[in-house]
Amino acid sequence: MATSTYMKLATMRRPRTESLPGVAGVVRLDRRAPRLLQRLHAGDVAVVDVADMDRATADALIAAKVGAVVNAQPSISGRYPNLGPEVLVAAEIPLLDGVGAGIFSEVKEGVRVRIEEDSIYAGERLLASGTRQSVATVAESMAAAKEGMSAQLAAFATSAQQHMHQEKQLLLDGVGLPELDTDFAGRHVLLVARSYDFKSDLKGLKHYIREFRPVLVGIDGGGDVLRDAGYRPDLVVGEMDAISEAALRDAGEVVAHADAEGRVHGLARVQDLRIEPKLFPTAGTSEDAAMLLADAGGAKLIVTVGIRATLEEFLDAGRGGMASTVLTRLKIGGRLVDAKAAAQLFQTRISGVALVLMVLAALLAVAVVLVASTDGNSYVHILSHGWTSLVNQLKDLFS
């Protein structure tokens, strides 16, 4: 009887989120997206504080398989056509926009919430309301943002001038670059960020990596991308709260991207792991910092995975990120190659059909010679062993 009464009371106290309409999930919230991304699980409701959400953040949220995204700020402010919201709604992930900063005090991490239309609730209690984005609303906002492109390009010119003045000694003379143990001189370098098309691009470079054995550099979450693909990063560069402990421990060397005042996000966390990173203060992005390090080290070729390459992607980073990246690319020049171009340049030199025909011809020749021998058992054993070895090599080549 006591047990039955307890069960009834527990049922009465249990939030009825599952029986209420909307998309439900456990809330995870953080004002800094890189920290939040490391704590997300499938089905979580991610609460972020990101004005003009970029595609890299949206891709990471999709990869985490979140159930919904709630943004304290407008995901598209109209300043420029950022790509994140378009990617999220295309993936059919509910996006509730502009709910206000009060959401961070209204709800605690781990509470089960639900998104119904344009509001977020804890059970039946209203937490905040905003704008529920859809394919139509995002398209409308993007069209309006694109009308201001000329103004954004003019603002970019001003931003580039300011960045050049601020970072003149670094860009022209290398002042402020840390001394590294990683050897770039005369070698290919592969820079990997967890952003634009990083999975497919890294997969397309498998044969290139095998042949040229480039220096592997993970930028922010790119260190984890390399680990997940079975590689050990020689160097990780970026904000320390954007890199997992496993990637930090595995890396041959760690460089912390500090801002112009020398502040580093997540530095204490890394020092707790008994890792003392080398500091690189720059107003540019972590991607720019990695490019400049490879360039200063005398890299022969720098191949980028998941790093901005088109005008759309530069705009997606906002004016500050666009200016520093464009200037960094101008400094490096022709030694910088995007992953998609590199995959075309360094694809396997012999076609699959030609290779198979060559192998069959070789096998036929061997069979003719061995049939002429008097020891039939030896022939069968040798041919069987050779065929097994050959099949394994072909699997490795085309995998």
Side-chain angles (χ1 to χ4, degrees), residues 4-329:
S4 176
T5 303
Y6 173 81
M7 290 297 293
K8 287 179 181 178
L9 288 172
T11 303
M12 289 171 64
R13 291 171 184 160
R14 186 180 301 144
R16 295 187 298 114
T17 307
E18 290 83 352
S19 62
L20 295 169
V23 178
V26 173
V27 70
R28 307 285 177 195
L29 69 169
D30 203 306
R31 292 181 184 274
R32 281 187 50 76
R35 284 199 303 250
L36 176 63
L37 291 168
Q38 294 187 52
R39 304 201 307 274
L40 289 173
H41 300 93
D44 285 347
V45 174
V47 179
V48 299
D49 188 22
V50 181
D52 296 314
M53 185 182 293
D54 61 287
R55 181 181 159 188
T57 301
D59 282 341
L61 289 166
I62 293 169
K65 300 180 180 178
V66 296
V69 177
V70 177
N71 195 352
Q73 301 195 52
S75 294
I76 305 176
S77 70
R79 293 181 300 164
Y80 58 90
N82 55 301
L83 306 177
E86 191 173 46
V87 173
L88 276 177
V89 297
E92 299 183 348
I93 293 177
L95 172 60
L96 181 59
D97 240 14
V99 300
I103 187 67
F104 288 93
S105 57
E106 284 292 327
V107 64
K108 293 183 179 179
E109 178 137 345
V111 171
R112 193 163 182 84
V113 298
R114 63 188 177 90
I115 312 296
E116 182 185 353
E117 296 182 351
D118 61 355
S119 299
I120 177 172
Y121 298 85
E124 295 180 337
R125 182 170 71 91
L126 175 65
L127 299 173
S129 295
T131 302
R132 180 70 173 266
Q133 297 288 3
S134 65
V135 173
T137 60
V138 168
E140 184 180 348
S141 298
M142 286 288 282
K146 285 177 181 177
E147 290 179 3
M149 284 278 285
S150 59
Q152 292 304 314
L153 290 173
F156 159 69
T158 302
S159 179
Q161 185 178 10
Q162 292 171 345
H163 184 78
M164 186 64 197
H165 177 74
Q166 185 178 3
E167 302 271 71
K168 178 174 62 177
Q169 288 185 308
L170 170 62
L171 291 171
L172 298 181
D173 303 316
V175 175
L177 285 165
E179 291 187 13
L180 302 184
D181 297 323
T182 305
D183 183 16
F184 294 112
R187 298 182 63 188
H188 288 217
V189 178
L190 183 65
L191 306 181
V192 179
R194 180 180 275 163
S195 190
Y196 310 95
D197 304 321
F198 68 91
K199 285 186 178 179
S200 58
D201 284 353
L202 185 59
K203 185 177 180 181
L205 291 175
K206 183 163 57 176
H207 297 302
Y208 161 74
I209 295 171
R210 183 181 301 161
E211 181 175 350
F212 289 89
R213 299 194 177 280
V215 179
L216 300 177
V217 180
I219 304 168
D220 292 331
D224 294 287
V225 171
L226 285 166
R227 288 188 75 255
D228 292 344
Y231 304 110
R232 179 180 181 271
D234 298 296
L235 173 70
V236 291
V237 180
E239 298 182 357
M240 297 294 95
D241 58 359
I243 309 168
S244 74
E245 292 184 5
L248 288 166
R249 286 194 178 100
D250 278 0
E253 192 168 17
V254 178
V255 172
H257 174 207
D259 62 21
E261 285 73 42
R263 294 169 299 197
V264 179
H265 291 294
L267 181 59
R269 167 178 171 261
V270 181
Q271 291 172 334
D272 287 343
L273 298 174
R274 297 185 179 179
I275 297 172
E276 199 60 45
K278 295 178 179 177
L279 301 188
F280 185 3
T282 172
T285 66
S286 296
E287 297 172 0
D288 305 333
M291 290 183 200
L292 290 171
L293 289 170
D295 175 62
K300 182 179 181 181
L301 188 74
I302 303 172
V303 179
T304 63
V305 170
I307 293 179
R308 293 179 291 275
T310 67
L311 177 61
E312 240 186 3
E313 292 167 355
F314 287 137
L315 287 171
D316 187 41
R319 289 198 297 270
M322 180 169 69
S324 63
T325 300
V326 169
L327 289 172
T328 301
R329 284 176 172 269

Side-chain angles (χ1 to χ4, degrees), residues 331-350:
K331 174 176 172 55
I332 297 174
R335 287 179 297 141
L336 192 66
V337 180
D338 180 66
K340 291 178 177 61
Q344 293 296 318
L345 289 171
F346 299 108
Q347 59 186 324
T348 305
R349 291 174 173 79
I350 304 175

